[in-house]
Structures are given as structure tokens and as C-alpha cells.
Amino acid sequence: MSAPAPSSSEHHASLRDWIMVSAGLIGAFMAVLNIQITNASLLNIEGGIGTGVDNGAWISTAYLIGEIIVIPLCDYLSRVFSFRLFLIVNSILFIIFSVCCAFAQNLPQMIALRGIQGFCGGVLIPMAFTLILTRLPKAQQPIGMAMFAITATFAPAIGPTIGGYLTENFGWEYIFFINVIPGAIMVVALMMTLEREPMRLGLLKEGDWLGIVTMSIGLAALQTVLEEGNKEDWFGSPFIVKLAIVAVVFLGIFIATELMVKNPAVNLRLLTKRNFGFGTLANALLGFGLYGSVFLLPQYLGQAQGYNAEQIGSVMAWTGLPQLLVIPFVPKLMKKIDARFLVAFGLCLFGYSCMMNMYMSPDTAGDQFFTPNVIRAVGQSFAMAPLTGIAMVGIARADSAAASGLFNMLRNLGGAFGVALLGTIFTKREQFHSNMIGMYVNPFRPEVRDRLAQMTNYFMAHGVSDPATAQHQAAIMLGKIIKKQSVIMGFADTFAILGGTLFVAAVCVMLAKKGEASGVVAH
């Protein structure tokens, strides 16, 4: 991305540069926020547009597909249409399609609008990252990285909180209206600060169109497999098998193309650099944890505890709010402590917070998640900004935009894998525990017969006069208890696997070389 050279001095950015960077960060924050803002409100949105609960996840997935496809293409497209024009036009379109989503009448409309919204919003993430690397001097880049970390970790954590509050108090449509005011501020600030540049439409002829087309089709097919696989019994479904073949073939062609052509749309060769390779792998696993945890906890609170959208949001707030207190101190620590240790410490805290949910019971509800959520928030704060700096060690300024696109895309792709894989793991573990409990809870066991008798007497003492009806209700109640317990145990197992993944990410970070956290090498 050919953002103009900074007008700042060697050590301090100008006010204009800070306004420009801040405007870009507003856009990145909104773009990431909108991935998760619908999570706590899916039931309300599904009711509003008249679709079933099995299809509601597409409201989030369509947006994520759009983001994943466009993020790695931003470097090339911003050179074609100019950095300023490309960023401002997509910012405006993001606001427009956000509002359009509020007026969707059915699921196909919502999917199409969310996909376009995600495509436009995906532009805002790497562009903000590029502004930090090109407009701020090296000494101030850790501050910019910390601010970017807020968009990457605080936004998904606080998304369900904001979405739940707006849904319960104003209606689900306001989830999409919320983008209008900050979006307008962002657009005005960018128009006032970004320098005009000529478009280079001639680059369209030199574009790696084979790579762009195969990547778009392959990623869309892969994301659809991830989203629909669990519901369709994975490879037991001909539909999933066909899509998986499409994903493998097109992504295989894409990877081969990018490694052979002179000017690839996505510079995969950057992954061969030690720090960028291990940093990006850790970032993908961090995305797995970020989006996976934001998926699991609302699901648990809704399914096992019957929380509504606002109640879920209030619990999720404690995964976000502490970050605002911790992240401002991270740049100072980055100057004194090896960034690898900071990131590994943060990832281990994040993983430990997940492991704390391994021993949940029917009494585990909002209050019991306070401590794990605060620990998780602190861990995320230590992980994101230094991890970005580690990955960018040794990356030339000319490659910073391409690296930014690849780095951010793989975090989102890791998140997509996380949500799909964790959903499948939960389903399988819930079934396992249901079967195991069912083996022991049967009417042939005297303690089970005693329990059924107690419950039958309870129903007869509370208005059920027919003994057969009371006995039937007792059996139904016992089935519900078994179901709830197996759900809780399934979620506990899934949280444990999520924690283990984050410990693996910590190991990946330690395999990188030590380097300056701001890391970008100028030409």
C-alpha cells in the first residue's frame, strides 16, 4: 500500500499524522466490532428476518467471508486506485451497507448485504495497520501497535456487550446503525488529512488475476465448509464433500500461483521469514482463541443458563473493559522486556483463563466467569501489540502493506477455523457425555428409581393429580437435567482444548528471533 511518506520528524509524528492514524483505527475498530456484534443477538435477528436458528450463523459468517477475501488484496487495490481514494470510498460504502443491513427483509438479503459490508470493512483493518507503519516514526510505532491491539482484541470482546444492550433496549436494527456516527467522523478526518495521489489503472493489466480469482473462490468455499460442516455431518454430506474439493483445488492453484508469479496478489514468500512465519502462525492461533472464546461463552450462557442478549453482553464486558486499563502500559513494557516473553506470558494467561472453565457445574453462571474473563482480558492485552511487532521484525517498509494484509487475514481465518472446529468439538463432546450419563442413569438402578419417585411425589404435591402424568413429567425433568449436565460438560471440554491451543501459540512465539518490537525496516 503506497501510503505517502510521513511528514513527521524522526522521533515524533505530527498532529496531522496522529489524526490520520486515529481515523484509520476508528475504521479498524468498527470493522472488527461488526464480526462479533451480532453474536449475542442472533435469535432476535433471526426472528426479525424470518429465518431458522440453523441459518442465523450466516449473519456473522457472510461478513467474515467478505473480510477474509479482501484483506490480502488491499495492498494491490490501494496501489491501483490510490491509497486515499480506496480507503475513503470503502469507508463510505461500509457505512451505507451497515445501514442497509438494518432493513434486510429475509436471510438471502441479509447474507448479501453482510458480505458486501464485510468486504468494505475488511479494507479498513490492514489500511489502519499500514498507516501506523508508514506514518509513525519507529519510536512511536509501539504506541500505534497498542492502539491497533485495542481494535483487534477489545472490539471482538465488547461486540456482544454492545449488541446485546442495543437489541434489548432499542431493537436489533441499531446494531447496524451504530456505525454511522463514528464512520462519518472517520471519513471527514481521512478526507482532511490523506494526501491526494493519482490512480494507477495501468496496474490492472499487470494484476495477478488468477491468484485473486482462485483465492476468492477457494476461501469462500472453505469458509462455507467450516460454517456448514457441523450441521451437515461434515464429509457424510455430498454438499460438503464437493465444496471441500473446490476449496482444496482452488486454494492449491492459488498457493502455486503466488509462489511462481513475479508480482503476486498475496506475497506468501513473506511466510518464509522466520519471525513473520512464526508470528503469523501464533497470530492465527490467537485468532482461534479470540473468536472461539467469544463464540463459546455466549453459547454457554444462552444454552445452559438461559441468558438473554443483554445479560450475555454484561458478562462479556469483563473480557473487554480491563484491556482499556492494561494496553496503555504495554508500549512501555515493550521497551524494557523482550517482546517474545510478553506475548508468551499473555497467551499463557489467556490459555489459563480458558482452563479455569474446565470444571463448570449447573451453578456456573455470570458471576463465576468474572475472574476468568478479567484474566483473559489481561492476557489478550499483553499478547496482541507485541506479537505484531515480533512478526514485523525484518520486514522492509515496501513489504509492510503486503505483510499487514497476510497477517490480519490469517488471524481472521484462524478465527473462522476456531468457531467451526470448537462448534464441532462441543457437539461431539456433548453427545459423548450424554451417552455416558445415559449408561448410568437408567430405571434399572435403585438410586434412579428413588430419584424418579421423589420427583413424581413433587409433581403430585404441586397440582398433578394423576400418578401416571406425574411420573411422565418426572421422567421428562430427569431427561432435561441429563441434557443440561452433558451440555455443561461438553462446553468444559471445549474450553480446555481452546486453552491448550493458546499454549501452543505461546511456544510458536518463543521460536521467533529476538528483535525490536516496532520492527519495520525502512528502505
Side-chain angles (χ1 to χ4, degrees):
M1 262 168 269
S2 53
S7 57
S8 54
S9 67
E10 184 180 353
H11 298 293
H12 297 284
S14 66
L15 176 61
R16 175 176 180 151
D17 288 330
W18 275 115
I19 293 174
M20 186 189 305
V21 168
S22 299
L25 289 168
I26 291 174
F29 185 89
M30 291 193 302
V32 177
L33 181 76
N34 275 265
I35 299 173
Q36 305 289 351
I37 198 170
T38 60
N39 277 18
S41 312
L42 283 179
L43 290 176
N44 304 79
I45 300 173
E46 289 160 358
I49 62 176
T51 188
V53 293
D54 286 341
N55 298 317
W58 273 103
I59 297 167
S60 298
T61 301
Y63 181 92
L64 195 56
I65 289 175
E67 273 202 352
I68 289 172
I69 289 173
V70 77
I71 284 175
L73 300 179
C74 287
D75 177 28
Y76 169 67
L77 294 176
S78 67
R79 285 185 280 117
V80 172
F81 298 107
S82 84
F83 190 95
R84 182 181 190 273
L85 183 64
F86 185 60
L87 178 53
I88 291 175
V89 167
N90 278 283
S91 300
I92 295 171
L93 290 175
F94 175 77
I95 299 169
I96 292 172
F97 283 101
S98 295
V99 174
C100 289
C101 287
F103 296 98
Q105 300 296 309
N106 50 54
L107 183 64
Q109 285 184 16
M110 179 64 84
I111 289 175
L113 291 170
R114 281 284 281 172
I116 300 172
Q117 183 199 17
F119 189 90
C120 299
V123 171
L124 309 182
I125 299 172
M127 300 293 259
F129 193 87
T130 301
L131 285 172
I132 292 169
L133 298 182
T134 57
R135 303 301 307 205
L136 298 182
K138 199 170 185 178
Q140 291 184 310
Q141 283 183 14
I143 299 174
M145 294 295 187
M147 295 169 68
F148 186 80
I150 292 177
T151 73
T153 62
F154 179 67
I158 205 70
T161 304
I162 296 173
Y165 175 80
L166 292 174
T167 298
E168 292 297 321
N169 291 278
F170 302 100
W172 63 266
E173 295 86 355
Y174 282 82
I175 289 175
F176 302 107
F177 293 150
I178 196 175
N179 296 315
V180 174
I181 294 177
I185 294 172
M186 169 186 64
V187 170
V188 171
L190 291 173
M191 292 179 71
M192 292 174 61
T193 55
L194 279 172
E195 296 88 348
R196 294 181 181 274
E197 297 175 281
M199 290 192 292
R200 301 166 64 190
L201 298 180
L203 291 175
L204 290 173
K205 298 179 181 179
E206 305 171 12
D208 174 21
W209 292 107
L210 178 61
I212 291 172
V213 171
T214 53
M215 183 197 72
S216 300
I217 296 174
L219 287 178
L222 175 62
Q223 183 61 33
T224 305
V225 168
L226 293 174
E227 176 59 38
E228 294 293 302
N230 194 33
K231 186 173 69 175
E232 299 289 341
D233 193 28
W234 290 103
F235 297 108
S237 163
F239 171 69
I240 295 298
V241 170
K242 291 175 184 177
L243 272 181
I245 293 172
V246 170
V248 170
V249 170
F250 278 85
L251 289 177
I253 296 172
F254 162 69
I255 293 171
T257 301
E258 302 313 281
L259 294 177
M260 290 189 296
V261 299
K262 182 179 180 181
N263 297 308
V266 182
N267 190 358
L268 297 179
R269 298 185 188 95
L270 291 173
L271 292 172
T272 62
K273 295 180 179 293
R274 179 173 170 177
N275 272 45
F276 189 75
F278 283 117
T280 301
L281 176 58
N283 190 45
L285 295 175
L286 175 58
F288 185 105
L290 285 171
Y291 296 120
S293 57
V294 174
F295 164 77
L296 280 182
L297 188 50
Q299 290 290 316
Y300 170 80
L301 293 170
Q303 290 187 36
Q305 303 299 339
Y307 276 37
N308 64 27
E310 186 171 7
Q311 289 172 320
I312 291 172
S314 65
V315 176
M316 297 297 294
W318 289 106
T319 64
L321 295 177
Q323 295 184 38
L324 297 179
L325 300 176
V326 177
I327 286 179
F329 296 99
V330 173
K332 295 179 180 178
L333 292 174
M334 290 167 66
K335 296 177 181 178
K336 299 179 180 179
I337 302 174
D338 187 334
R340 297 174 301 170
F341 296 138
L342 284 177
V343 176
F345 174 69
L347 289 170
C348 288
L349 275 183
F350 190 179
Y352 173 67
S353 74
C354 295
M355 293 293 188
M356 292 176 71
N357 298 331
M358 288 174 57
Y359 304 103
M360 295 189 296
S361 72
D363 296 326
T364 304
D367 291 344
Q368 285 69 43
F369 285 108
F370 175 80
T371 301
N373 284 354
V374 170
I375 292 174
R376 171 184 153 194
V378 174
Q380 290 177 1
S381 302
F382 279 109
M384 188 62 206
L387 177 57
T388 304
I390 290 169
M392 293 299 160
V393 169
I395 297 293
R397 187 180 295 277
D399 292 327
S400 63
S404 165
L406 192 54
F407 186 78
N408 287 288
M409 180 199 75
L410 288 175
R411 184 180 65 246
N412 281 8
L413 194 58
F417 268 105
V419 170
L421 184 59
L422 292 172
T424 300
I425 291 170
F426 163 72
T427 299
K428 300 300 183 185
R429 296 305 296 172
E430 187 270 332
Q431 292 172 350
F432 169 80
H433 288 298
S434 181
N435 292 334
M436 292 300 293
I437 295 173
M439 289 174 58
Y440 293 96
V441 182
N442 62 71
F444 300 105
R445 297 177 67 92
E447 59 268 34
V448 176
R449 290 198 298 269
D450 291 343
R451 179 62 173 157
L452 283 171
Q454 292 173 5
M455 295 169 70
T456 301
N457 292 333
Y458 170 84
F459 283 113
M460 292 187 69
H462 289 78
V464 180
S465 57
D466 181 31
T469 302
Q471 191 173 23
H472 178 66
Q473 291 191 2
I476 292 174
M477 180 62 70
L478 183 60
K480 289 181 178 178
I481 293 172
I482 294 171
K483 171 68 175 177
K484 182 173 182 177
Q485 186 61 49
S486 60
V487 165
I488 292 170
M489 295 172 75
F491 275 113
D493 291 350
T494 310
F495 272 112
I497 291 171
L498 179 57
T501 302
L502 291 163
F503 292 140
V504 172
V507 173
C508 293
V509 168
M510 295 308 297
L511 294 174
K513 293 187 298 184
K514 182 179 179 180
E516 293 184 40
S518 55
V520 177
V521 178
H523 267 341

